[in-house]
Amino acid sequence: MNTIRPCGCKGVRTCLSCEADFQIAKPSLQEEFQQLESWSYCVQCELLQPGWDTVRVQEMHEKHKKEEGLPLPGILVQEQFLSAQEGAQLMADLDALPWDISQSGRRKQNFGPKTNFKKRKLRLGSFAGFPRSTEYVQRRFEEVPLLQRFQTIEQCSLEYDPSKGASIDPHVDDCWIWGERVVTVNCLGDAVLTLTPYEVQQTGKYNLDLVPQYEDELRAPLLEEEQLVRYQGKVLRIPMPNLSLIVLYGPARYQFEHSVLREDVQERRVCIAYREFTPMYITGEDQQKGDPVRDKSKLFWEIKTII
């Protein structure tokens, strides 16, 4: 279906509402992925260990043999990035802002420039910075070595509602405008990020063809073909605990599609996604086009209350 539905879904994106209203049969990604060999990331080992259930894999940490773990460069999971009090206040602040409907049962709050991924066009649009109530989260990035000199140019709050079958299909974040570090701060609810090796389907998809232009600047070098073989036929599961920080970079960011399965959203989940520019828009040929966005991204505004 190519029309936008009342629920916000369009194309192949669906939620429980439009699946019922339009008799859309959506294949189960979980069933498909469970046919593969499953590995889950152990936050303490910093390695993937056999198993689908991320909670059980964490509980089994003392029995893990590091030499039998599967490494994947480009994953950071930092638990307790926010305190419980900060998480509660952040949720109150986010819910004080309007939510917009999005696809696949999600709602969003988007602060950033206008982007056209297919035409590779960037416009400032109405972007005027970020809510002041979220400023401290960005400031805290400076305490994370991996996020040194990370300048947020898009901040997007995402809500996943289990009653709507909320999910996000496998994808690679755009590589023309969004930089290497894909950052997520989990504000409410536990979930799992599911990774599968990306298989080239069409030239230019996700603008991955631009990556060679800045590949030498990546924080973790991409895997060679012979290295990628060990991940074929596998599905990789990364826990996203409430109040945690998740960063994908290097191979995990560019050579795997990531998704959030419907079955992994058991309660209201809210996260904030942060994106930086690619090097072309920081020091490269498109720097002048990126300057106005970077200037606005330094601003934080107060929520106006009506008395």
Side-chain angles (χ1 to χ4, degrees), residues 13 15 17-18 26 33-34 65 82-83 85 98 125 152 157 172 174 180 195 228 278 288 301:
R13 312 300 183 209
C15 66
S17 177
C18 64
K26 183 179 178 67
F33 287 160
Q34 285 183 330
K65 298 178 181 178
L82 301 175
S83 70
Q85 182 178 358
T152 299
S157 311
V172 174
D174 181 79
E180 177 184 6
L195 273 61
L228 283 169
T278 49
Q288 288 187 333
W301 42 263

Side-chain angles (χ1 to χ4, degrees), residues 238-293:
I238 304 174
M240 296 193 293
N242 185 24
L243 308 177
S244 65
L245 169 76
I246 310 295
V247 184
L248 296 184
Y249 60 102
R253 186 262 195 264
Y254 293 108
Q255 295 177 295
F256 292 78
E257 290 185 305
H258 60 269
S259 59
V260 177
L261 303 181
R262 177 178 290 177
E263 293 84 354
D264 287 323
V265 181
Q266 298 295 319
E267 57 188 328
R268 185 191 184 201
R269 177 189 181 235
V270 176
C271 66
I272 307 179
Y274 295 87
R275 302 294 179 260
E276 62 181 338
F277 268 143
T278 49
M280 293 98 73
Y281 283 88
I282 300 175
T283 56
E285 58 186 18
D286 294 315
Q287 180 179 349
Q288 288 187 333
K289 296 178 183 178
D291 284 343
V293 176

Side-chain angles (χ1 to χ4, degrees), residues 117-120 172-178 198 200-215 222 253-254 278 280 285:
F117 301 129
K118 290 185 178 180
K119 296 182 179 180
R120 298 178 180 175
V172 174
D173 278 23
D174 181 79
C175 303
W176 150 67
I177 196 72
W178 306 143
Y198 173 63
V200 179
Q201 301 158 14
Q202 61 189 63
T203 304
K205 189 170 185 180
Y206 307 129
N207 287 313
L208 275 163
D209 56 304
L210 294 177
V211 176
Q213 294 187 25
Y214 52 84
E215 186 174 343
L222 300 183
R253 186 262 195 264
Y254 293 108
T278 49
M280 293 98 73
E285 58 186 18

